[in-house]
Amino acid sequence: MKAVVLTLFATLALGSLLGCHNRQIAQQPSPLEPMKQSYSGLLPCGPACQDSESSLFLATDGSYVLEQRTGGESALRSAQYGQWARTADTLTLVAMNGEKQRFRPTENGLEAIAWRGMPITNPHLYHLTANNGKTL
């Protein structure tokens, strides 16, 4: 009887020790989906002007150029330069002056989002459509 109790106790102790070392394997982050280098569409210009036709080019070195055109026939053009960074669900543009813009990848382009991850509120969504061309 004593041998049975000792065997049972040893089995339980060994089982609990092995259970303590049963670590879950950390999941590897999924690889980023390829994305296009060039986009165009409508983006907000700011409080002093109307929405602007915009073109975004993402370079493989992590830099970007965002060109915006406003004003119809007497179009004003401006260009913004900076660095871009990407996660699985967000593309962040950081301009040379430190201003940030965020986008969420969609099936056919990029949707401008506010800092809390929600689309920018407007009667229409601000969306850049992917142009044919290279992917990153």
Side-chain angles (χ1 to χ4, degrees), residues 5 10 17 19 23-24 30 40 43-44 48 51 53 59 62 65 79-82 92 98 105 110 115 117 120-121 123:
V5 170
L17 286 176
R23 296 181 184 168
Q24 292 182 347
S30 59
S40 60
L43 288 179
D51 297 340
E53 283 295 321
V65 177
Q80 180 183 80
Y81 302 89
T92 303
L110 300 170
W115 281 107
I120 294 176
T121 56

Side-chain angles (χ1 to χ4, degrees), residues 25-115:
I25 298 172
Q27 291 183 350
Q28 294 289 331
S30 59
L32 296 176
E33 293 291 321
M35 62 187 291
K36 296 288 185 180
Q37 278 186 296
S38 178
Y39 299 85
S40 60
L42 190 66
L43 288 179
C45 176
C49 61
Q50 296 179 344
D51 297 340
S52 63
E53 283 295 321
S54 303
S55 298
L56 173 63
F57 178 77
L58 304 173
T60 56
D61 67 356
S63 64
Y64 77 89
V65 177
L66 176 63
E67 181 183 88
Q68 294 185 292
R69 296 169 300 284
T70 60
E73 291 180 21
S74 60
L76 299 173
R77 294 181 128 185
S78 65
Q80 180 183 80
Y81 302 89
Q83 297 292 311
W84 63 271
R86 179 178 172 207
T87 64
D89 60 349
T90 306
L91 171 71
T92 303
L93 305 180
V94 182
M96 293 177 75
N97 65 3
E99 181 181 322
K100 295 180 181 181
Q101 290 179 282
R102 292 180 60 209
F103 297 88
R104 177 186 352 221
T106 63
E107 188 173 310
N108 63 344
L110 300 170
E111 175 185 41
I113 57 174
W115 281 107

